[in-house]
Amino acid sequence: MPFLYRRIAFYVIALWTSLTLNFLLPRLMPGKPIDAFYARYRLEIQNNPHFLDSLRIELGLPKTPLWQQYIQYIVNMLHGNFGISYSFYPTPVIDVIRTTLPWTLFLAGTATILTFLIGTFLGIVVAWRRGGKLDSLLPPVTMFASSFPAFFLALLLLYVLAYIGGWFPLEHSYSGGTDIGLNWPFLTDVADHAILPVAVIVLTGVGGWLLGMRNVMINTLAEDFITMAHAKGLSDFRVMMMYAARNAILPSLTGFAIALAYTVGGLVLIETVFSYPGVGFTLVQAAQGSDYPLVQALLMLITVCVLLANLFVDLIYARLDPRARTQ
Amino acid sequence: MTNREPLLRVEDLVVDYYSPRGVVRAVDHISFDIMPGEIVGLAGESGCGKSTAANAILGILREPAQMTNGRIFFQGQDIASMPPRAHRKFRWRHISMVFQSAMNALNPVLRVGDQFVDMVQAHERVSKRDALDRARDLLRMVGIDPLRVSAYPHELSGGMRQRVIIAMALALQPELIIMDEPTTALDVVVQREILQEIEELQRELQFAVLFITHDLSLLVEFSNRIAIMYAGEIVEMARAQELFREPKHPYTVGLMNSFPSLVGPKSMITGIPGSPPDLANPPTGCRFSPRCPHCTPYKTMVHPVLQEIEPGHLVACHLYGAEQELTHERASTAS
Ligand SMILES: Nc1ncnc2c1ncn2[C@@H]1O[C@H](COP(=O)(O)OP(=O)(O)OP(=O)(O)O)[C@@H](O)[C@H]1O
Ligand code: SF4
Ligand SMILES: [Mg+2]
């Protein structure tokens, strides 16, 4: 399947580019990362002249030429060896990621997939009954919801439903004291904590999918193969799903990849509002604390997520659109 | 013609498009019938309402089109008033259609075979396997490699796609197949091949055909009777030979003179000056009068009615038949 090879080659290059940028950015910024440690370990440095050198090595900041650092960096990254977090010193970055990434994937995945499914389905229905009651109600209402900035809606919901109403937890992804694992109390607790952030993403996102799907769907419904499908005596449901929606969804799928990737990175604000211990929340903390290894690792992670989401959609697309396979 | 009961009888069919520009009456009180096994041609310039009439007969008009008058009988049964469910079962089983746009009439994301299967299964209880077997037989019948059941539409040429659609139209052995310009999207050589094939299939299977075209020359040998449509109305209808020997309506005469040559490049040498009227605002009286040199101004104000001037030859023109009165037509168009 040469189509797939080409795509994969593209992803490898994209990954390499972002790795390189990721390497250069902190080195181009003013202030050396090690400076932060002078203050913290002043006493040790005064007592032990070698302490600084060993710290440099431990932190992955040896005094070697840039190109050597670059190669070392790439090798480290490919081995998943992201170094040690400054702000959570001496926790390795990989461990920080291990505790934050699942939360973000869970939140972003659930929210984006729900948004996509709900929006697309509503778009299909509304286009099919174009000009009907639902069609005059849903698009403006969902677009109104989308016009709120996500963090504003997040604050609003948090304030009204969690702070005043007390129906939802105020922060974090689960309550302290619950027994972490695959048990019912923990799972419901996690769901409880996820409802508001997911609701914010769904509410602000559904309108876009709905309108996008509706527009493409209306164009598709004017196609001759739809008329022929009706003429053949097929049921309305089959015409709507297998003839109209099945074609109209193709442009949305590309958007879905972008959205999925965007949510992983774009959860920063939402996670911050809900103090949700995911990648976005951690990224903000890491950036504030000049924790370069953590920032780098998180940025790379987001890149990889974007690329994987795209690859995933490429695969689905090739399955759903026979024309894409031969192009 | 014998006294057999007609297979299809269209009575006073009117179809309106409710467009933003106002009501466009694309089909205006047309009536005709088709006998079992008969090939009837429907010819007229682009935009005169041929496809609209075909869609109305098959019951697949969609917004903004609406059938506002008339009845359609198939084997004596009024099919236009059938409930949607029953009508879904009826169409394609008894009347199928080959669409004007071969290129776009197949679903691009479904294999050809699957588009056979869903159609057959919508009408009969058959396994997917049996339906696919039938699809292969039908493809063979229209000259396509049966292995193509697993092809996607974009893997087929325009001619092949049109054959696939013809095969689909044959699948349930309907009594009537509407062919809406089945070859216009194709090049001349393929056109000829496909027409020949349709002719052979028709001779073998004896289905009736409503053959729609704007190319009158195609109908010469092909059809039994021909109806000429102008601006939403049938202006002349006769047996094919008779129409060619003695076209009566000035519009038909014009169409005859604008025959594209059968061999040379396909250029439409238009023998009729002017262009068809805007159906949202048609001329009063005879709709052809702005392009017709023959009528007196007084008579053009009167709408000519389709009448039988010779056995089996109908014309709507003041030059023929009984004198027609200045009817209330004028009052209604004045409003
Ligand atoms: N959706 C629509 N809204 C308004 N008017 C329409 C619409 N669709 C078709 N019409 C009008 O109806 C008339 C008949 O169209 P129709 O497609 O039946 O013509 P046709 O004879 O099949 O032409 P062609 O040879 O080009 O296929 C045209 O004049 C067209 O302007
Ligand atoms: S009725 Fe008059 S204007 Fe109309 S076609 Fe006949 S001769 Fe021409
Ligand atoms: Mg047409």
Side-chain angles (χ1 to χ4, degrees):
Chain A
M1 210 193 257
F3 163 73
L4 210 57
Y5 290 140
R6 268 207 310 277
R7 297 303 294 165
I8 289 174
F10 166 77
Y11 291 130
V12 170
I13 293 174
L15 184 62
W16 173 72
T17 312
S18 64
L19 275 179
T20 307
L21 280 176
N22 223 346
F23 169 78
L24 291 175
L25 277 179
R27 285 168 176 77
L28 293 176
M29 282 198 262
K32 294 203 176 59
I34 197 87
D35 292 350
F37 282 80
Y38 283 128
R40 209 189 295 176
Y41 295 102
R42 219 179 43 228
L43 268 177
E44 284 89 337
I45 293 169
Q46 278 169 3
N47 297 342
N48 179 359
H50 296 292
F51 181 84
L52 199 59
D53 290 335
S54 56
L55 191 65
R56 275 184 173 282
I57 289 166
E58 196 181 353
L59 295 176
L61 295 165
K63 279 186 164 159
T64 49
L66 206 60
W67 65 269
Q68 274 183 17
Q69 286 181 34
Y70 179 62
I71 290 173
Q72 190 58 45
Y73 164 81
I74 297 273
V75 170
N76 283 344
M77 284 289 155
L78 293 183
H79 284 88
N81 184 359
F82 302 119
I84 289 177
S85 160
Y86 300 172
S87 48
F88 296 94
Y89 184 83
T91 318
V93 165
I94 190 83
D95 287 346
V96 179
I97 286 176
R98 227 174 251 144
T99 57
T100 56
L101 182 64
W103 289 118
T104 292
L105 288 184
F106 164 67
L107 196 63
T110 316
T112 314
I113 291 170
L114 267 183
T115 315
F116 176 77
L117 290 181
I118 295 174
T120 304
F121 180 74
L122 292 180
I124 293 172
V125 172
V126 151
W128 185 259
R129 303 221 171 279
R130 184 184 179 185
K133 278 201 197 85
L134 273 184
D135 190 26
S136 48
L137 184 72
L138 282 181
V141 167
T142 53
M143 280 326 278
F144 177 69
S146 310
S147 63
F148 284 97
F151 78 93
F152 175 71
L153 194 63
L155 282 172
L156 193 71
L157 291 190
L158 190 69
Y159 182 69
V160 175
L161 299 181
Y163 184 71
I164 296 186
W167 297 297
F168 293 97
L170 276 169
E171 57 168 23
H172 214 70
S173 54
Y174 56 93
S175 314
T178 32
D179 183 12
I180 297 176
L182 279 179
N183 57 74
W184 188 245
F186 179 68
L187 292 183
T188 49
D189 187 49
V190 166
D192 226 24
H193 282 80
I195 288 178
L196 282 189
V198 167
V200 169
I201 300 172
V202 171
L203 282 176
T204 51
V206 149
W209 291 116
L210 188 155
L211 272 199
M213 189 63 188
R214 178 183 179 274
N215 291 346
V216 184
M217 182 86 178
I218 281 172
N219 285 331
T220 310
L221 283 173
E223 296 277 355
D224 293 312
F225 61 80
I226 301 290
T227 313
M228 170 135 172
H230 278 298
K232 287 201 296 187
L234 303 183
S235 70
D236 280 358
F237 185 75
R238 184 164 175 90
V239 179
M240 175 169 92
M241 298 310 275
M242 289 308 287
Y243 282 72
R246 186 69 172 60
N247 279 283
I249 205 167
L250 294 175
S252 287
L253 279 182
T254 325
F256 180 60
I258 296 165
L260 200 59
Y262 173 84
T263 337
V264 171
L267 278 179
V268 175
L269 283 171
I270 308 247
E271 286 187 356
T272 307
V273 171
F274 291 100
S275 311
Y276 205 86
V279 169
F281 185 51
T282 316
L283 184 63
V284 173
Q285 290 186 320
Q288 280 167 352
S290 298
D291 187 348
Y292 294 108
L294 190 52
V295 170
Q296 282 183 330
L298 290 176
L299 286 180
M300 180 175 116
L301 203 73
I302 290 170
T303 314
V304 171
C305 285
V306 173
L307 295 179
L308 280 181
N310 271 293
L311 180 65
F312 171 69
V313 166
D314 275 347
L315 290 174
I316 294 192
Y317 206 93
R319 270 200 68 76
L320 288 183
D321 188 356
R323 287 159 298 186
R325 276 173 249 165
T326 43
Q327 265 160 24
Chain B
M1 284 290 128
T2 57
N3 297 330
R4 284 177 302 166
E5 197 198 343
L7 178 67
L8 179 82
R9 176 178 208 97
V10 177
E11 266 183 25
D12 248 356
L13 177 64
V14 178
V15 182
D16 290 327
Y17 284 95
Y18 291 91
S19 81
R21 292 190 306 129
V23 179
V24 176
R25 182 152 288 188
V27 174
D28 196 356
H29 294 281
I30 68 169
S31 305
F32 63 93
D33 48 25
I34 299 178
M35 291 294 164
E38 191 187 22
I39 303 181
V40 173
L42 183 61
E45 283 167 303
S46 183
C48 69
K50 306 180 296 292
S51 298
T52 307
N55 289 348
I57 291 168
L58 195 54
I60 52 167
L61 285 176
R62 286 197 296 164
E63 293 200 337
Q66 204 167 7
M67 178 170 157
T68 41
N69 188 56
R71 296 201 288 178
I72 296 162
F73 294 98
F74 186 87
Q75 294 176 329
Q77 188 190 7
D78 184 355
I79 56 172
S81 60
M82 271 184 177
R85 236 190 142 71
H87 199 284
R88 232 179 4 241
K89 290 274 171 207
F90 167 84
R91 59 183 184 248
W92 216 263
R93 156 107 284 168
H94 298 286
I95 307 181
S96 65
M97 180 151 162
V98 176
F99 286 85
Q100 185 164 0
S101 44
M103 296 317 236
N104 307 320
L106 294 174
N107 184 348
V109 299
L110 288 188
R111 291 173 198 278
V112 165
D114 293 334
Q115 300 187 52
F116 267 97
V117 172
D118 64 6
M119 174 257 295
V120 175
Q121 285 184 336
H123 296 276
E124 295 170 20
R125 295 182 66 89
V126 275
S127 67
K128 182 170 177 178
R129 217 161 127 195
D130 292 347
L132 275 178
D133 279 342
R134 195 169 339 157
R136 287 191 197 93
D137 290 343
L138 286 159
L139 287 184
R140 204 176 291 122
M141 209 152 114
V142 296
I144 290 186
D145 182 353
L147 289 176
R148 292 296 191 145
V149 281
S150 51
Y152 286 99
H154 76 275
E155 296 166 342
L156 306 175
S157 69
M160 287 162 94
R161 275 183 237 182
Q162 196 60 306
R163 283 165 204 262
V164 166
I165 294 172
I166 291 171
M168 282 188 185
L170 294 170
L172 303 176
Q173 298 176 320
E175 291 87 349
L176 172 64
I177 303 184
I178 300 174
M179 303 207 175
D180 189 357
E181 314 206 23
T183 59
T184 26
L186 310 170
D187 68 68
V188 186
V189 182
V190 183
Q191 263 187 33
R192 291 271 144 206
E193 278 173 21
I194 289 192
L195 280 178
Q196 250 161 37
E197 223 157 84
I198 293 175
E199 234 176 326
E200 279 161 29
L201 288 166
Q202 196 274 337
R203 222 171 290 138
E204 191 186 322
L205 302 170
Q206 290 295 313
F207 48 85
V209 178
L210 177 62
F211 194 97
I212 296 174
T213 179
H214 59 248
D215 185 352
L216 203 47
S217 65
L218 283 183
L219 295 173
V220 182
E221 309 127 62
F222 191 61
S223 51
N224 304 108
R225 280 187 303 150
I226 296 175
I228 305 292
M229 215 171 153
Y230 184 77
E233 299 176 314
I234 290 181
V235 294
E236 182 163 12
M237 183 154 188
R239 247 170 294 168
Q241 276 81 14
E242 195 167 322
L243 194 91
F244 278 95
R245 221 178 27 245
E246 271 185 81
K248 304 269 196 222
H249 196 283
Y251 177 62
T252 312
V253 176
L255 276 184
M256 295 285 199
N257 294 337
S258 57
F259 261 29
S261 89
L262 291 184
V263 278
K266 205 185 155 191
S267 57
M268 192 79 175
I269 325 127
T270 222
I272 313 168
S275 51
D278 176 9
L279 290 179
N281 191 14
T284 50
C286 175
R287 297 209 172 145
F288 189 60
S289 58
R291 302 166 76 184
C292 180
H294 301 296
C295 232
T296 61
Y298 169 71
K299 277 188 172 168
T300 53
M301 297 301 288
V302 183
H303 189 258
V305 182
L306 192 66
Q307 45 181 322
E308 194 162 13
I309 54 155
E310 279 162 31
H313 198 146
L314 290 82
V315 183
C317 173
H318 294 309
L319 299 179
Y320 305 94
E323 197 62 25
Q324 288 176 3
E325 290 304 313
L326 192 79
T327 55
H328 41 268
E329 171 72 20
R330 236 176 120 185
S332 69
T333 47
S335 64

